Amino acid sequence: IERLVGVKVRDAAQAYALFEEGALDMVDLNATTSLLAEQNGRAGQSHSDGTVCFLQMNCEQGPTANANIRRALGLAVNRRNLVNNVLRDNSLPALSFARADFRNRKGKPFSEGVSALRRDWKAALGVEIKIEHLSEEERVQRVRDGAYGVTIESWRADCASPAAFLEYAVETRGWNGAECRELVQSARAQTDLEKRMELLNRAETILLSEMPLAPLYFPMRDAALADGLWGVRRSAFGQDDFKNAGWSE
């Protein structure tokens, strides 16, 4: 491939239509256009978004100040149902806070996701929750003021390391995660990779036990490629590599 031309199309449906017309050779997909691509037999590609979506619990006041209640809420979520029947994309259920493939070891609006969480908590725990839809500004202010019970948040790592997730997690407001924080700090200074991963794994075990943050899913970015295009490599950090890409004859 000697030349690349990028086109910015704000509307996902319009971008996919241009792809089907042959005006584009590669296009990013959302939940809706991903289904269209699958129905049309288009070659697809998924890669990590580098993000974890999670529940942030109020550790300072209310029922979620109790670690057992936080853990019960986190464990009661049917993540597989959330991914397969609500999001309906290639997102992965999150059973850890840091992505497993960052360890060096072997569609729809999320308002519907909130409803799925409410059903899970009602079915598993008999708990009724009140849902409030807030603007981004209102949500941020409520979290700052501690005036919330549970909120849905996300964090995008800036490098392929579990430390990029855990260093964020240990700063959760109101959580006394001193031991977890100490392990993450020790890992930062550790030059032996195996020992570093051991420290981070211990830190994450504590995080998931006390659950100030309950991981929900790892988003994936999907794309459709024109027939014959091969060798395109995409990363979680916005780097598309066409160095070894080409066209089949």
Side-chain angles (χ1 to χ4, degrees):
I1 295 178
E2 298 179 354
R3 187 167 72 104
L4 297 171
V5 178
V7 179
K8 187 172 184 178
V9 183
R10 295 186 181 277
D11 182 75
Q14 182 184 1
Y16 183 74
L18 290 171
F19 172 78
E20 284 291 350
E21 292 169 6
L24 298 176
D25 295 316
M26 186 172 77
V27 63
D28 285 326
L29 303 173
N30 61 16
T32 301
T33 55
S34 181
L35 288 174
L36 287 174
E38 184 177 347
Q39 291 168 2
N40 293 335
R42 289 294 192 173
Q45 188 182 82
S46 293
H47 70 283
S48 167
D49 185 57
T51 299
V52 59
C53 293
F54 56 91
L55 299 172
Q56 179 170 323
M57 316 280 193
N58 189 332
C59 298
E60 297 180 295
Q61 57 186 332
T64 51
N66 185 307
N68 290 328
I69 291 177
R70 296 196 300 267
R71 191 158 50 246
L73 291 172
L75 294 175
V77 176
N78 186 335
R79 291 162 175 79
R80 182 69 62 183
N81 175 68
L82 178 64
V83 168
N84 291 345
N85 300 318
V86 178
L87 299 175
R88 296 188 188 179
D89 56 19
N90 288 316
S91 297
L92 301 175
L95 302 179
S96 61
F97 193 74
R99 285 188 57 95
D101 55 350
F102 284 0
R103 297 173 182 273
N104 289 336
R105 67 178 188 187
K106 297 190 175 176
K108 291 184 176 181
F110 203 73
S111 57
E112 296 188 31
V114 175
S115 297
L117 297 178
R118 179 164 60 179
R119 289 193 296 271
D120 287 345
W121 288 335
K122 175 64 175 176
L125 305 173
V127 173
E128 290 280 4
I129 66 167
K130 175 185 176 183
I131 296 175
E132 293 185 76
H133 299 285
L134 305 175
S135 68
E136 178 68 8
E137 183 179 353
E138 290 174 317
R139 181 192 62 78
V140 170
Q141 191 60 52
R142 291 276 289 273
V143 171
R144 285 175 179 169
D145 295 341
Y148 73 102
V150 179
T151 180
I152 296 173
E153 304 283 351
S154 65
W155 172 254
R156 188 176 187 185
D158 56 5
C159 63
S161 168
F165 294 94
L166 296 174
E167 288 178 3
Y168 168 85
V170 297
E171 299 303 325
T172 301
R173 173 176 168 164
W175 178 47
N176 184 22
E179 183 181 0
C180 186
R181 188 176 297 106
E182 183 178 334
L183 287 166
V184 171
Q185 290 173 347
S186 297
R188 187 183 302 158
Q190 179 58 252
T191 57
D192 183 288
L193 180 59
E194 187 173 337
K195 292 179 180 178
R196 185 169 186 267
M197 289 299 167
E198 181 182 349
L199 290 168
L200 292 172
N201 288 336
R202 287 168 56 193
E204 187 172 50
T205 297
I206 295 171
L207 176 72
L208 295 178
S209 175
E210 300 189 13
M211 213 164 276
L213 309 176
L216 292 175
Y217 65 96
F218 297 118
M220 299 287 282
R221 290 182 60 193
D222 299 329
L225 279 63
D227 294 339
L229 179 60
W230 54 269
V232 179
R233 296 185 61 184
R234 312 190 78 192
S235 82
F237 311 108
Q239 299 167 333
D240 293 342
D241 184 357
F242 292 86
K243 181 172 63 176
N244 297 313
W247 290 96
S248 300
E249 296 183 1

